[in-house]
Amino acid sequence: MLYAIEGLDVPDSLERRKSVRPEHLARLEALRDTGRLVLAGPFPAIDSPDPGASGFSGSLIVAEFPSLAEAQTWADADPYVGAGVYREVTVRPFKRVLP
């Protein structure tokens, strides 16, 4: 089943994000390489594709996991969680309708 994982950043998270971004991306690439990743990306903190120093306000990942518990376990192990980038992480079942 698909699950939406939404991480909401702490204020001024940009430097923390940068410090663990390679590890965060490696985990996403592993999901992609097994065909389980639908989409992933950050929410710019301002209305711009490149927010610069404003950074990001959070992230969204939609991926396939065997269960909600396994999606939560995966989300809890994200390097952004360990580095204190996220102030909150929500994992919910997701039903893809389009495309």
Side-chain angles (χ1 to χ4, degrees):
M1 179 162 188
L2 295 177
Y3 295 90
I5 300 169
E6 184 178 17
L8 301 178
D9 283 26
V10 298
D12 302 314
S13 63
L14 187 56
E15 291 308 313
R16 292 180 194 187
R17 275 181 167 268
K18 288 179 181 179
S19 73
V20 293
R21 187 169 188 262
E23 294 89 349
H24 172 77
L25 290 178
R27 295 178 82 236
L28 293 172
E29 290 164 352
L31 284 178
R32 179 201 60 204
D33 293 349
T34 59
R36 297 169 46 202
L37 182 65
V38 174
L39 64 88
F43 298 115
I46 60 173
D47 188 13
S48 172
D50 181 3
S54 295
F56 301 93
S57 62
S59 303
L60 175 66
I61 300 164
V62 177
E64 184 178 347
F65 291 92
S67 68
L68 177 59
E70 290 185 54
Q72 185 70 59
T73 297
W74 187 91
D76 290 343
D78 193 292
Y80 283 176
V81 172
V85 172
Y86 294 148
R87 64 178 167 83
E88 179 182 347
V89 176
T90 304
V91 180
R92 295 180 287 212
F94 181 82
K95 181 176 177 174
R96 184 177 181 167
V97 175
L98 292 171

